[in-house]
Amino acid sequence: QVQLVESGGGLVQAGGSLRLSCAASGRTFSNYAMGWHRQAPGKEREFVAGITRSADNTHYADSVKGRFTISRDNAKNTVYLQMNSLKPEDTAVYYCAAKYAYSSYYVPSAYDYWGQGTQVTVSS
């Protein structure tokens, strides 16, 4: 089992920034690729960003490229999502997730473990 706990969400004005953190415990963190996903009211959960086990490669949804940056610190068992130039359409609950298999980063069902989520609200 891997336990994931997100933090760092909140209310921010459009154009502002937030940094989300996700602390992992349980099994060896570096054995898992990590991803951030989000879900807005009335919408399906969607992929936001992913990072490989050793942080040598990252993946982003087109909607956040150039604005969001995913990173990880395996010594601290933590993955981060730096969000800049936030827009009202970024408002959602943000979830971090861990996956063991070498599978697509873009499909939420590929992930094995999920956090409880943190709310991000961007006002216009």
Side-chain angles (χ1 to χ4, degrees), residues 54-69:
S54 59
D56 59 346
N57 201 6
T58 55
H59 309 267
Y60 295 95
D62 288 343
S63 59
V64 306
K65 278 181 184 176
R67 300 189 298 123
F68 291 11
T69 303

Side-chain angles (χ1 to χ4, degrees), residues 9-85:
L11 174 65
V12 63
Q13 288 189 334
S17 298
L18 282 174
R19 189 193 195 203
L20 305 183
S21 299
C22 174
S25 61
R27 295 186 176 175
T28 305
F29 180 66
S30 59
N31 285 346
Y32 292 84
M34 299 298 295
W36 286 96
H37 304 257
R38 66 187 182 188
Q39 188 166 17
K43 295 188 176 181
E44 293 188 352
R45 191 168 298 189
E46 64 175 1
F47 168 79
V48 175
I51 190 166
T52 56
R53 290 158 180 76
S54 59
D56 59 346
N57 201 6
T58 55
H59 309 267
Y60 295 95
D62 288 343
S63 59
V64 306
K65 278 181 184 176
R67 300 189 298 123
F68 291 11
T69 303
I70 188 171
S71 61
R72 67 189 294 165
D73 185 338
N74 285 346
K76 295 183 178 180
N77 291 349
T78 303
V79 61
Y80 305 97
L81 186 67
Q82 177 67 44
M83 305 186 294
N84 299 329
S85 302

Side-chain angles (χ1 to χ4, degrees), residues 2 4 32-35 96-100 110-114:
V2 175
L4 302 171
Y32 292 84
M34 299 298 295
C96 73
K99 70 181 185 78
Y100 187 77
Y111 292 78
D112 304 297
Y113 301 102
W114 292 83

